[in-house]
Amino acid sequence: MAKHHFRPARYFNAIGTAEPCLRIADGDTVVTDTIDASGLDAREVAVASRPNPMTGPFFIEGAEPGDTLAVRIDRLTPSRGTGWTYSPLALTVLDPAAIIDRPPSQRVVWDIDQAAGTVRLQEPVRGLEHFAPAIQPMIGCFGVAPAGGQAISTATSGPNGGNMDYRLFAPGTTAWFPVSVPGALFYLGDGHASQGDGEITGTGIETSFEMEVTFRVLKRSIAWPRGETAEDIFTIGNARPLDQALQHATTEMSRWLGEDYGLDARAASHLMGQVVRYDVGNVFNPAYTVACRIAKRWLTKR
């Protein structure tokens, strides 16, 4: 098991089957840089214009179609002291009648104070002079190459992952992705220093990051992304409308409870009906994200 330090020279705004930037072994760790759109210079824009420039793809030896790629998020460190967001609230989260009163779009800059562990508006608006939420780093967009030789925009998401903007994709979480091509071809980027549920203004606090992740190849099949923290397991559905995303996530959780915890469909329904929690990921971009989450204290592995 090796640790690789990779400094990208180019970025991608689609997740697909580009030539691998690095080949690594099962069990290896990669430390690499990701960049937000404001950090791109004129030479890079042709291959990495908005949305969400991605670092990668990484080829993981031994990963074959039908396998699962487990990606442990070891560390997410902002690499500069500022980030940016937009306001106001997105059209997708407002009542139609409220849209007429929506103010014009505005981009603002936030200071990222790693010593204090907080973020602050550089120019606070009235009422937010003392607003300083905690830095809570997360990965907004990551995943593996989709099936069928496709290249999917990093503005959206699907069974392969992508732009999910789910807050639990944070340090300490292991994310699982279904492998569809040899080597998996894994991409990551879109680091947020902080973000509320849903990415309801169209951005988190976007900034550049140094990210450290560790890869494992699992000889098992899944249909949708899954994740595990110290306290919970969760499954991800990506689709539009929102109820379809919820259906994908719920079905994947029922499968998982059968595969690893020995619960048949009836037992899984009793458990899920009482203790499941649903979290909202991205509700701004073309596909919405729903996470179906269960606390590990309710589960016993068989």
Side-chain angles (χ1 to χ4, degrees):
M1 297 181 184
K3 179 179 283 192
H4 307 268
H5 293 263
F6 176 75
R7 297 295 175 247
R10 62 184 307 205
Y11 306 88
F12 297 88
N13 60 6
I15 296 176
T17 54
E19 188 68 21
C21 66
L22 183 69
R23 299 175 78 98
I24 64 172
D26 180 12
D28 283 2
T29 297
V30 170
V31 179
T32 193
D33 297 323
T34 67
I35 196 166
D36 61 297
S38 70
L40 300 172
D41 64 30
R43 294 167 299 171
E44 297 168 318
V45 168
V47 293
S49 59
R50 290 181 64 196
N52 299 336
M54 293 287 104
T55 300
F58 297 95
F59 186 105
I60 296 84
E61 301 284 355
E64 297 293 340
D67 293 343
T68 294
L69 182 67
V71 182
R72 189 181 71 219
I73 304 170
D74 299 317
R75 177 173 58 86
L76 302 176
T77 304
S79 53
R80 69 169 194 269
T82 60
W84 54 274
T85 61
Y86 278 105
S87 66
L89 294 173
L91 299 175
T92 51
V93 302
L94 292 172
D95 285 333
I99 291 173
I100 193 171
D101 297 321
R102 182 174 176 265
S105 180
Q106 182 183 64
R107 186 178 185 274
V108 297
V109 176
W110 298 71
D111 288 322
I112 301 170
D113 186 339
Q114 294 194 58
T118 59
V119 293
R120 288 178 180 270
L121 284 164
Q122 276 194 353
E123 299 180 4
V125 297
R126 185 164 57 90
L128 297 183
E129 293 86 355
H130 305 292
F131 181 56
I135 298 173
Q136 294 182 310
M138 55 167 284
I139 302 178
C141 185
F142 65 147
V144 296
Q150 301 175 81
I152 296 181
S153 168
T154 58
T156 193
S157 57
N160 65 305
N163 192 34
M164 298 174 285
D165 293 303
Y166 178 45
R167 294 177 66 246
L168 284 191
F169 285 133
T173 295
T174 297
W176 297 7
F177 298 97
V179 176
S180 297
V181 302
L185 298 182
F186 175 81
Y187 297 73
L188 79 170
D190 191 28
H192 298 168
S194 180
Q195 181 208 284
D197 288 340
E199 200 184 42
I200 60 174
T201 65
T203 67
I205 296 181
E206 311 283 335
T207 193
S208 299
F209 271 82
E210 182 177 80
M211 297 188 178
E212 181 173 337
V213 294
T214 299
F215 300 95
R216 293 301 308 269
V217 176
L218 308 179
K219 295 299 179 179
R220 61 181 299 170
S221 295
I222 62 175
W224 288 89
R226 299 180 182 182
E228 183 173 2
T229 71
E231 295 81 25
D232 301 297
I233 65 170
F234 60 87
T235 52
I236 296 290
N238 299 311
R240 194 165 184 170
L242 194 67
D243 59 350
Q244 187 177 356
L246 184 145
Q247 290 162 5
H248 292 320
T250 305
T251 303
E252 188 71 11
M253 179 60 78
S254 183
R255 290 194 195 106
W256 196 356
L257 294 177
E259 293 164 357
D260 286 12
Y261 300 95
L263 301 182
D264 65 17
R266 194 175 302 277
S269 70
H270 286 313
L271 177 75
M272 294 172 68
Q274 304 311 312
V275 302
V276 79
R277 297 292 181 265
Y278 287 107
D279 300 329
V280 176
N282 190 295
V283 291
F284 174 75
N285 291 121
Y288 295 157
T289 296
V290 171
C292 179
R293 179 170 53 88
I294 293 179
K296 288 181 176 178
R297 69 179 183 273
W298 303 114
L299 303 171
T300 303
K301 281 204 171 185
R302 63 182 180 182

